[in-house]
Amino acid sequence: MTSWMAAEAFQNARSPKELYWIDGASHVDLYDKEQYVSPAVSKLSGFFGARLSKAK
Protein backbone atom coordinates (compact mmCIF):
# COMPACT_ATOMS: atom_id res chain seq x y z
CA MET A 1 0.00 0.00 0.00
CA THR A 2 1.39 3.38 -0.88
CA SER A 3 1.37 6.21 1.64
CA TRP A 4 -1.53 8.03 -0.04
CA MET A 5 -3.62 4.85 0.06
CA ALA A 6 -2.86 4.38 3.75
CA ALA A 7 -3.76 7.99 4.51
CA GLU A 8 -7.03 7.65 2.58
CA ALA A 9 -7.93 4.38 4.30
CA PHE A 10 -7.15 5.92 7.69
CA GLN A 11 -9.28 8.97 6.94
CA ASN A 12 -12.24 6.77 5.96
CA ALA A 13 -11.91 4.32 8.86
CA ARG A 14 -14.09 4.50 11.93
CA SER A 15 -12.60 4.72 15.42
CA PRO A 16 -10.76 3.27 17.13
CA LYS A 17 -7.94 3.68 14.67
CA GLU A 18 -4.21 4.29 14.57
CA LEU A 19 -1.86 5.05 11.70
CA TYR A 20 1.55 3.47 12.19
CA TRP A 21 4.45 4.16 9.84
CA ILE A 22 7.52 1.94 9.72
CA ASP A 23 10.30 4.15 8.43
CA GLY A 24 12.29 2.71 5.57
CA ALA A 25 9.90 -0.17 4.84
CA SER A 26 8.12 -0.69 1.56
CA HIS A 27 4.94 -2.74 1.26
CA VAL A 28 6.92 -5.79 0.13
CA ASP A 29 9.44 -5.42 3.00
CA LEU A 30 6.60 -6.22 5.41
CA TYR A 31 6.36 -9.76 4.03
CA ASP A 32 9.72 -11.16 5.04
CA LYS A 33 12.24 -8.65 6.36
CA GLU A 34 12.47 -9.31 10.08
CA GLN A 35 13.48 -5.74 10.99
CA TYR A 36 10.14 -4.54 9.57
CA VAL A 37 7.88 -7.53 10.23
CA SER A 38 8.44 -7.71 14.00
CA PRO A 39 7.46 -4.09 14.75
CA ALA A 40 4.39 -4.40 12.51
CA VAL A 41 3.23 -7.64 14.14
CA SER A 42 3.85 -6.23 17.60
CA LYS A 43 1.81 -3.11 16.86
CA LEU A 44 -1.04 -5.09 15.27
CA SER A 45 -1.11 -7.61 18.13
CA GLY A 46 -1.32 -4.88 20.72
CA PHE A 47 -3.98 -2.92 18.85
CA PHE A 48 -6.26 -5.86 18.10
CA GLY A 49 -5.62 -7.56 21.42
CA ALA A 50 -6.71 -4.49 23.37
CA ARG A 51 -9.80 -3.87 21.27
CA LEU A 52 -11.01 -7.42 20.65
CA SER A 53 -10.72 -8.39 24.30
CA LYS A 54 -13.17 -5.56 25.14
CA ALA A 55 -15.70 -6.88 22.63
CA LYS A 56 -16.41 -10.04 24.66
Side-chain angles (χ1 to χ4, degrees):
M1 178 179 287
T2 62
S3 60
W4 71 266
M5 289 177 170
E8 185 176 307
F10 181 77
Q11 181 179 4
N12 292 324
R14 290 184 281 162
S15 291
K17 60 185 181 178
E18 290 182 34
L19 186 58
Y20 182 64
W21 295 105
I22 300 176
D23 290 331
S26 71
H27 177 88
V28 176
D29 290 335
L30 295 171
Y31 294 137
D32 61 1
K33 292 191 177 176
E34 182 61 32
Q35 72 266 31
Y36 302 124
V37 173
S38 288
V41 170
S42 178
K43 186 66 171 177
L44 289 168
S45 296
F47 181 83
F48 286 117
R51 276 125 189 111
L52 293 177
S53 64
K54 292 179 183 178
K56 293 180 182 179

